[in-house]
Amino acid sequence: MNTRNNFQMLSKKDLNKNNFFVFIPTLKKIVGIIPSSMTSIENLIGIDEQKKKLYENTISLISNDDSCNILLWGSRGMGKSSLVIANHHYLIKTYENIKLIEVFCNDLVYLPEIIYNLKKYQEKFIIFIDDVNLDVNSKEFKTLKVLIQGSLLSNSKNVKFYVTSNVRNIINPNNNDDAFNEVQINDQRNNAIALYDRFGLILSFYKANKEEYLNLICLYAKLNKIKIDKDLEKKALQWSIFKGDYSGRTAVQFVANLKSKTL
């Protein structure tokens, strides 16, 4: 069935068959997908408070209680995207009426059509937008801001946004401030803050330290049946220097390379 602008609605068959979806702009269609890789929520360590709040908010959405749009922001590679996906995978073992739809950052202008159509279903939907970093003057920024709060389509009882970003205000810093007068610069900053303020729940992710990084190495090595010894620790620290941080992503990549014997 098609709606205005040939936007294809989700069929009941698709909803029953799939739990994860992506929006394909060239088709103007939401399609079911099986994630190619997924981290178990039990294996995301060091972010227990973030786990708890994301889980509780999603349960509230499922239960028709008050729930929030969520911004997960902070250091790269610290589990923001993995947590959203892992939390959903954990919940669908118990609840059948919660669906996750990924919309890519470049396709945010389609959000009004997407939400308009999703409001017609009894299922609950999380719109997952990963790694957002927008130009404050872009159509994508303006569309997201008004749909988070301010539009007649905002605050849909069955639709919430889970958005990840490496920066708190979700915008590209303007490198040409000299070309603007002070009023214009302040307007841009206020616009950015206005979007941040519209999220009902903010989850922050911070850089791991050396100890936390080595704990992650030990966890992923154990899961992959790799011997844990001083040599492993030495190689892991060398890898972190090469990668430039102590993030969870760095730990996962190190163990993956070790397992495939490329190190």
Side-chain angles (χ1 to χ4, degrees), residues 56 79 147 170 219:
E56 290 175 346
L147 287 175
I170 326 182
L219 170 66

Side-chain angles (χ1 to χ4, degrees), residues 20 38-40 84-94:
F20 293 87
M38 198 179 311
T39 303
S40 170
V84 173
I85 296 170
N87 179 68
H88 189 73
H89 187 253
Y90 178 78
L91 284 169
I92 60 176
K93 296 174 184 177
T94 305

Side-chain angles (χ1 to χ4, degrees), residues 60-250:
S60 292
L61 172 62
I62 293 169
S63 305
N64 292 317
D65 294 329
D66 290 340
S67 58
C68 300
N69 296 305
I70 301 180
L71 171 64
L72 303 88
W73 82 277
S75 299
R76 68 186 190 277
M78 289 307 299
K80 300 183 293 294
S81 307
S82 296
L83 176 56
V84 173
I85 296 170
N87 179 68
H88 189 73
H89 187 253
Y90 178 78
L91 284 169
I92 60 176
K93 296 174 184 177
T94 305
Y95 302 96
E96 297 180 352
N97 68 328
I98 182 71
K99 309 294 179 180
L100 185 144
I101 302 171
E102 182 170 13
V103 178
F104 297 108
C105 198
N106 291 338
D107 302 323
L108 300 187
V109 292
Y110 292 98
L111 284 176
E113 284 84 2
I114 293 171
I115 296 174
Y116 173 79
N117 283 284
L118 295 182
K119 284 170 70 73
K120 302 174 183 179
Y121 297 96
Q122 293 185 345
E123 286 80 4
K124 312 297 182 181
F125 298 96
I126 295 166
I127 295 183
F128 172 46
I129 309 170
D130 188 33
D131 198 19
V132 175
N133 198 0
L134 300 170
D135 184 330
V136 73
N137 294 313
S138 68
K139 290 181 180 179
E140 290 82 4
F141 177 89
K142 294 172 182 177
T143 299
L144 181 60
K145 187 176 79 168
V146 74
L147 287 175
I148 294 291
Q149 189 179 72
S151 167
L152 294 174
L153 290 171
S154 301
N155 298 318
S156 299
K157 291 295 184 181
N158 70 328
V159 180
K160 293 299 172 188
F161 291 92
Y162 287 9
V163 177
T164 76
S165 178
N166 292 337
V167 291
R168 185 189 295 260
N169 288 335
I170 326 182
I171 64 160
N172 287 311
N174 194 314
N175 294 322
N176 298 308
D177 281 356
D178 291 343
F180 293 82
N181 62 45
E182 186 176 348
V183 173
Q184 290 172 312
I185 293 171
N186 286 334
D187 284 346
Q188 287 200 353
R189 289 172 179 163
N190 288 335
N191 246 330
I193 293 170
L195 173 55
Y196 170 82
D197 283 345
R198 293 180 190 210
F199 288 94
L201 181 59
I202 310 292
L203 302 181
S204 302
F205 293 71
Y206 301 102
K207 291 181 180 179
N209 57 35
K210 178 181 174 180
E211 181 182 356
E212 290 167 336
Y213 169 69
L214 291 175
N215 287 339
L216 288 167
I217 293 292
C218 289
L219 170 66
Y220 298 134
K222 184 178 179 180
L223 291 172
N224 287 279
K225 299 180 179 179
I226 294 171
K227 183 180 178 181
I228 300 170
D229 55 20
K230 288 293 182 181
D231 186 54
L232 177 71
E233 180 178 315
K234 181 180 177 181
K235 287 181 178 179
L237 292 174
Q238 289 173 339
W239 177 260
S240 71
I241 293 170
F242 170 69
K243 295 295 291 187
D245 65 24
Y246 285 141
S247 73
R249 181 180 296 143
T250 296

